[in-house]
Amino acid sequence: MNAEEYRESLKRYHPVVYVDGERVECVADDERFAPGVRALGVSYDYALRPELAPLMLANDRLTGRRVNRMLHINSDSGDLLNKLEAVRLLCQETGCAQRYLVHDAMNALYQVCARLDAETRDKTHVERFSAYLDHVQQNDLSIGIAMTDAKGDRSRRPHQQGNADTYVHVVAKNERGIVISGTKAIVTGAPYMHELLVMPCRNMTEADAAFALCCAVPVDAKGVTMVSRPAGRPGEKAALFSAKYGQSTAVVMFEEVEVPWDRVFYAGDWQQSATLTYSYATHHRHSCIAARAGFGDLLIGAGALMCEANGFDVSKDPQLKDQMVELIKIVEGFYACGVAASVYAKADPYSHSLMPDPVYSNIGKLLLATQIYDMQRIAHTVSGGLIVALPGPDEDHNPHTAARLADVLSAHPDIPYDKRIETARFIEDLSASYTGGWYSVISLHGGGSPAAMKQEIWRNYPVGDKVALVERLLERGVTVGENTNQRQPGKCCAQGCSVPGETIMVDLPELPSRSIKRVA
Ligand SMILES: Cc1cc2nc3c(=O)[nH]c(=O)nc-3n(C[C@H](O)[C@H](O)[C@H](O)COP(=O)(O)OP(=O)(O)OC[C@H]3O[C@@H](n4cnc5c(N)ncnc54)[C@H](O)[C@@H]3O)c2cc1C
């Protein structure tokens, strides 16, 4: 599909959506979602541009089809590098492309289905997954990822909650499928997706088995209600960027929604929830790195333009150059973690598809989650206070003031007033408006809060190896493992063992050949 066909395709669905307290008649035609529909549309249009084909399209090993890269299962490091570049490109244009979440979820789901086939008597998981992947690719769908439950009291497990609907759970099973109820609290773009992939958001215990489920439902399945925010800042004149491109998020409530067995990837296999969330988080944090690098590119470009419009030559001003280099260092620093995670990626032992390296993926996401605030600060520092103090767009045409404002608020002699205020409003929109705050919060919490990344870095980093290294250097002659409490579970011996459900970094095995396809 191209962007317009995608928008039209949404009319085939009739989801129950509320926004600003009103029921939405038609998502595709509602102006409040237009920035979101437009942003997603870019992922469709770019895939049809021949010069972008090496990035935006991929040959799928599983289905043998040439598909949108956002719907592709990775088989080598080149795929991961190309996905990084593709997501960065989409987010440069749209701020947040949103569609990469389905890429991350499908890759994680494939890994879990292959593992379930290997570990359980039911050998049909990959078959069901493949049929679903085929359906998604064939119809070029957009899928919302419904993972984050409402969660209720954070200190309690799902089965301990006073209200079971704070987590999505199975309320009945019959010969047709499962029936689910509960709430997913934050689903990106839900109203303008075709389907939702429902996944668990945390590890589970046996007592949580009813909450351990993964399935796909159309957005207009009976019993699904979405309460959404508008996408971006639709209709706001000063919102130069986010009136055009934006993202909505919705609370999605499920009330006795029937899901046929062919769309149930698992239900009750509580042991798989940790694996699924871990795999999804690793793929997704890798994608988040590229997404925020695309946003960083916008800040770098706008920051440099603003300096110029203010009358400075950045290359000759040490203070401004220092700030701009700091911004570049931050953006390319976390992006480099994405590149490293692609290069050090490993094949999943069950599906043999490729997963980015978890340590680098988590470090990159952790860096962007915290440094987004430094990125915004630098954009504010180099721009000056006008970005929030300028008169609004209606004043641009006020016959009493417009000409004088243009005279006194110009700076660089060669840069007209309207170009200067355009740049200032662009920076305000991206860094100091509702959208600016939104970018900070999505960077901090989207894909997991910093504590989650820190946990994964610690869990996957071979600290024990470093301890052994120093022990060897100190020539203490102590046996590995005897003289330190620095070992982590699963890293206690040279041979390596693993706690079920936990993935660890092991000594390098024979690596499969990885052709790193650099895109010209
Ligand atoms: C703009 C945006 C878009 C998003 N899109 C999606 C999406 O499309 N699909 C999706 O599934 N999710 C999405 N998310 C959700 C995102 O994954 C979550 O925000 C994130 O996982 C954190 O969960 P939470 O928001 O419920 O915060 P909480 O879980 O309430 O966490 C708040 C703080 O409390 C800490 N905390 C939480 N639990 C504990 C505990 N037991 N002990 C100690 N500390 C704890 C956390 O570390 C964090 O610092 C999106 C989020 C944002 C902001």
Side-chain angles (χ1 to χ4, degrees):
M1 286 190 275
N2 62 27
E4 187 48 30
E5 286 162 343
Y6 150 68
R7 197 182 74 82
E8 277 298 312
S9 73
L10 296 176
K11 294 184 179 167
R12 293 200 295 272
Y13 297 78
H14 304 283
V16 177
V17 179
Y18 292 90
V19 65
D20 298 333
E22 284 172 20
R23 174 83 190 261
V24 174
E25 283 291 314
C26 172
V27 168
D29 290 340
D30 196 303
E31 280 307 308
R32 289 168 291 193
F33 294 123
V37 173
R38 234 178 259 124
L40 228 83
V42 173
S43 78
Y44 286 91
D45 274 351
Y46 271 23
L48 298 176
R49 281 172 52 173
E51 76 280 15
L52 299 180
L55 275 187
M56 303 310 302
L57 297 176
N59 295 322
D60 200 286
R61 185 169 61 91
L62 281 185
T63 56
R65 198 177 278 129
R66 193 146 171 79
V67 297
N68 193 303
R69 191 167 290 284
M70 301 301 118
L71 306 179
H72 174 240
I73 303 297
N74 303 301
S75 39
D76 59 37
S77 282
D79 285 338
L80 292 170
L81 287 168
N82 283 333
K83 181 207 67 175
L84 271 186
E85 294 286 336
V87 172
R88 185 168 184 167
L89 196 67
L90 287 170
C91 294
Q92 285 175 349
E93 182 71 23
T94 65
C96 185
Q98 302 164 63
R99 206 170 172 207
Y100 54 83
L101 280 84
V102 59
H103 163 279
D104 307 333
M106 292 302 257
N107 275 272
L109 185 55
Y110 180 37
Q111 290 174 234
V112 167
C113 285
R115 184 174 174 144
L116 274 160
D117 273 6
E119 289 182 353
T120 64
R121 273 184 298 181
D122 177 0
K123 307 293 179 198
T124 62
H125 298 90
V126 168
E127 195 182 308
R128 273 200 300 286
F129 168 78
S130 300
Y132 186 60
L133 181 69
D134 203 53
H135 160 73
V136 170
Q137 290 180 345
Q138 181 104 332
N139 296 296
D140 206 4
L141 297 182
S142 286
I143 309 289
I145 304 309
M147 189 172 207
T148 305
D149 292 276
K151 293 192 281 195
D153 180 343
R154 268 54 175 170
S155 66
R156 292 166 181 260
R157 295 202 150 274
H159 75 276
Q160 296 168 328
Q161 298 292 334
N163 179 353
D165 283 344
T166 49
Y167 282 83
V168 172
H169 57 289
V170 177
V171 290
K173 283 186 188 179
N174 56 41
E175 66 287 353
R176 291 190 305 279
I178 59 174
V179 181
I180 59 172
S181 288
T183 312
K184 293 292 184 183
I186 313 180
V187 183
T188 289
Y192 45 88
M193 298 290 167
H194 300 105
E195 300 196 7
L196 300 172
L197 194 52
V198 179
M199 298 159 75
C201 74
R202 58 170 300 160
N203 63 347
M204 305 267 175
T205 61
E206 194 167 359
D208 301 314
F211 302 86
L213 69 108
C214 181
C215 63
V217 292
V219 284
D220 57 356
K222 189 163 172 282
V224 173
T225 304
M226 303 180 183
V227 187
S228 184
R229 281 193 173 221
R233 300 167 69 197
E236 287 187 47
K237 284 186 206 158
L240 286 198
F241 190 85
S242 59
K244 183 170 185 195
Y245 294 122
Q247 173 177 329
S248 81
T249 49
V251 178
V252 182
M253 293 179 283
F254 297 80
E255 199 180 349
E256 301 198 349
V257 176
E258 290 188 17
V259 189
W261 283 117
D262 62 348
R263 289 291 184 261
V264 179
F265 304 107
Y266 70 81
D269 299 273
W270 58 272
Q271 304 91 331
Q272 300 304 326
S273 295
T275 317
L276 187 54
T277 48
Y278 165 69
S279 306
Y280 174 74
T282 308
H283 284 288
H284 188 48
R285 289 170 192 167
H286 184 254
S287 296
C288 289
I289 289 170
R292 221 51 72 225
F295 175 74
D297 293 333
L298 295 176
L299 286 188
I300 293 169
L305 268 181
M306 196 66 209
C307 292
E308 202 184 346
N310 284 348
F312 294 112
D313 178 344
V314 178
S315 59
K316 293 191 181 136
D317 185 293
Q319 187 266 123
L320 290 173
K321 189 163 62 182
D322 183 71
Q323 292 290 316
M324 289 302 296
V325 170
E326 184 66 20
L327 183 54
I328 294 165
K329 181 199 83 179
I330 291 172
V331 174
E332 301 304 345
F334 64 70
Y335 192 70
C337 289
V339 173
S342 311
V343 173
Y344 290 114
K346 288 202 179 74
D348 177 72
Y350 300 97
S351 66
H352 307 297
S353 56
L354 217 67
M355 186 161 86
D357 175 76
V359 172
Y360 285 115
S361 292
N362 279 283
I363 291 177
K365 170 65 187 37
L366 183 60
L367 286 174
L368 76 89
T370 48
Q371 294 183 339
I372 184 75
Y373 298 94
D374 297 315
M375 291 162 66
Q376 308 282 36
R377 174 182 49 76
I378 293 170
H380 298 168
T381 304
V382 300
S383 300
L386 267 190
I387 56 169
V388 296
L390 263 178
D394 287 334
E395 206 60 42
D396 298 350
H397 309 290
N398 181 345
H400 303 291
T401 58
R404 280 183 64 199
L405 281 178
D407 269 355
V408 295
L409 290 183
S410 292
H412 191 295
D414 299 334
I415 297 180
Y417 168 71
D418 59 324
K419 293 291 169 220
R420 185 175 184 227
I421 56 172
E422 203 176 33
T423 310
R425 284 187 188 137
F426 185 86
I427 294 180
E428 177 191 9
D429 189 22
L430 290 186
S431 68
S433 67
Y434 160 73
T435 300
W438 182 91
Y439 275 111
S440 299
V441 177
I442 195 173
S443 304
L444 189 69
H445 287 297
S449 310
M453 274 86 80
K454 288 180 183 172
Q455 175 183 303
E456 288 308 308
I457 292 166
W458 181 248
R459 210 162 63 88
N460 287 284
Y461 195 81
V463 178
D465 288 359
K466 309 296 160 100
V467 172
L469 166 71
V470 175
E471 281 179 338
R472 208 171 63 242
L473 292 177
L474 291 174
E475 293 184 330
R476 283 195 202 147
V478 288
T479 318
V480 170
E482 274 181 5
N483 204 25
T484 175
N485 60 4
Q486 295 296 311
R487 310 253 166 234
Q488 293 158 269
K491 294 180 178 154
C492 49
C493 60
Q495 166 199 337
C497 53
S498 68
V499 175
E502 188 172 29
T503 307
I504 57 167
M505 232 174 158
V506 292
D507 291 337
L508 275 183
E510 282 285 305
L511 291 174
S513 72
R514 290 180 189 146
S515 54
I516 298 180
K517 292 177 229 147
R518 273 277 181 209
V519 175

